[in-house]
Amino acid sequence: YSWMFQDCSSLEVAPELPATTLADGCYNSMFKNCSSLETAPELPATTLATSCYKSMFYGCTSLTSAPEELPATTLADDCYSWMFQDCSSLEVAPALPATTLADGCYYEMFEGCTSLVTAPALPAETLSKYCYYKMFRGCTSLQTAPARLPATTLAQSCYEGMFDGCTSLQTAPARLPATTLAVRCYSWMFQDCSSLEVAPELPATTLAEECYLGMFYNCDKFVTAPALPATTLAQGCYNQMFDSCSALETAPALPATTLADGCYFQMFALCKALETAPALPATTLAESCYEQMFSNCTSLNKITMLATDISATDCTKGWVNGVAATGTFTKAASATIPNGVDGIPTGWTVVNQ
């Protein structure tokens, strides 16, 4: 049935689809851009296949009613990817009881569903690559995320961009319980969630490359950041994590003493309400580790940085560009640090420790 009714802009009623066992790509783009279709048929299938529902209702801008439930509990690769993308009239998502996921299974499923208010429960505890990738991206009316995202076993990019651009989102899950992370697992997860005031708890102690990349970028109502307990970091792990959080007043403690390339790159850039930097106890820096970390933090007036080896390439490049004109910089007594945007801000008082 793939592409069967694509671009049938006058189609108002979809046929019944009673199959319970599906085949690869069977309903792919079946009703794509059927802009007059208001009600989706029930979809009782419990045995899915690769791309079986991919883009099925993509661009059905009049669709107000989705199936009450998509009952499969075991999913297939890309099975629901883009299924309701740009269904701008859809207000209620189907229940999604699946507990066994697959790569890309919910990939951009509801992206651009600008009338969707509440996200369905997502009970899976073990995730797959790209499973929730940009699932609700651009759902500008979405106010509430699932109350729990209970997964403790993550996968590459599993939550990447999940709520990107959800400008009405007020409530995130209270906790993201995984303690061991995966590459880019939370990257850009809440980017541009401009109504979100409280971040989830983040108890992870084993990080991965770019795991928190841009996670809260431009969440400009954040006042307090969550605790970040990891003591050993990964490449780019906190890159741009709180970039442009212009209301952030309290940064988390950063206890790590073993750094990684780019680990704090632009972490607090443009955090204009931040006055005190977290203490930075590491004695040996890594390439680009603090690069632009506090760039344009216009209220920042207190930094403690105890590194004695700052020889790594670009480790402090532009890190205090645009901070307050006066302040206090505490350093290790044996450290030699130049003045300027790549070292100690010009005009600040220096304290040796």
Side-chain angles (χ1 to χ4, degrees):
Y1 296 120
S2 57
W3 298 287
M4 187 173 188
F5 300 105
Q6 182 172 331
D7 297 325
C8 291
S9 58
S10 298
L11 185 70
E12 296 182 1
V13 180
E16 292 184 9
L17 298 169
T20 56
T21 299
L22 304 187
D24 290 354
C26 57
Y27 297 134
N28 184 354
S29 303
M30 185 176 182
F31 300 101
K32 187 175 183 180
N33 295 327
C34 291
S35 56
S36 297
L37 187 68
E38 295 183 1
T39 303
E42 291 301 309
L43 299 170
T46 52
T47 302
L48 307 189
T50 299
S51 301
C52 54
Y53 292 119
K54 183 177 181 179
S55 300
M56 187 176 186
F57 301 101
Y58 188 123
C60 292
T61 53
S62 298
L63 191 73
T64 57
S65 179
E68 192 170 308
E69 181 184 55
L70 296 173
T73 57
T74 298
L75 304 188
D77 289 353
D78 295 311
C79 57
Y80 298 134
S81 61
W82 296 292
M83 186 175 183
F84 297 100
Q85 183 165 338
D86 293 334
C87 291
S88 54
S89 299
L90 188 67
E91 296 181 5
V92 180
L96 300 171
T99 52
T100 302
L101 306 189
D103 291 353
C105 53
Y106 294 118
Y107 192 104
E108 298 185 23
M109 185 177 186
F110 300 103
E111 181 172 1
C113 291
T114 54
S115 297
L116 192 68
V117 174
T118 303
L122 298 168
E125 296 184 2
T126 299
L127 304 188
S128 297
K129 291 179 181 179
Y130 298 94
C131 57
Y132 298 133
Y133 181 89
K134 297 183 180 179
M135 186 175 182
F136 301 101
R137 185 186 186 195
C139 292
T140 53
S141 297
L142 190 70
Q143 297 178 10
T144 305
R148 296 179 64 244
L149 291 173
T152 53
T153 302
L154 307 188
Q156 182 177 343
S157 297
C158 53
Y159 292 116
E160 183 169 349
M162 187 176 186
F163 301 103
D164 180 1
C166 292
T167 54
S168 298
L169 190 71
Q170 298 175 359
T171 305
R175 179 179 170 87
L176 295 174
T179 56
T180 298
L181 303 189
V183 173
R184 297 179 70 101
C185 57
Y186 298 133
S187 62
W188 312 110
M189 186 175 182
F190 297 101
Q191 179 181 206
D192 293 329
C193 289
S194 54
S195 298
L196 189 64
E197 297 183 10
V198 180
E201 292 180 27
L202 301 171
T205 51
T206 301
L207 307 189
E209 184 177 343
E210 295 186 337
C211 52
Y212 292 118
L213 171 65
M215 185 177 186
F216 301 107
Y217 182 92
N218 202 32
C219 289
D220 55 10
K221 288 193 176 178
F222 267 12
V223 175
T224 303
L228 299 171
T231 55
T232 299
L233 306 187
Q235 183 176 338
C237 56
Y238 297 129
N239 185 338
Q240 295 183 267
M241 186 174 184
F242 302 103
D243 191 340
S244 300
C245 292
S246 56
L248 187 70
E249 296 177 359
T250 305
L254 298 175
T257 53
T258 301
L259 306 187
D261 291 353
C263 55
Y264 295 123
F265 179 85
Q266 285 186 217
M267 186 177 184
F268 300 103
L270 288 163
C271 290
K272 295 182 178 181
L274 188 66
E275 296 185 7
T276 301
L280 300 170
T283 56
T284 300
L285 303 190
E287 183 175 341
S288 295
C289 62
Y290 296 153
E291 184 174 350
Q292 298 185 55
M293 185 175 183
F294 302 109
S295 177
N296 294 306
C297 291
T298 53
S299 300
L300 188 68
N301 59 56
K302 185 176 181 181
I303 296 173
T304 298
M305 194 270 277
L306 301 180
T308 53
D309 182 351
I310 59 170
S311 61
T313 301
D314 294 334
C315 59
T316 58
K317 183 179 180 180
W319 83 307
V320 290
N321 182 44
V323 299
T326 59
T328 302
F329 191 101
T330 301
K331 69 177 188 67
S334 61
T336 301
I337 301 173
N339 290 325
V341 297
D342 298 338
I344 300 171
T346 302
W348 281 32
T349 300
V350 178
V351 176
N352 287 316
Q353 178 176 307

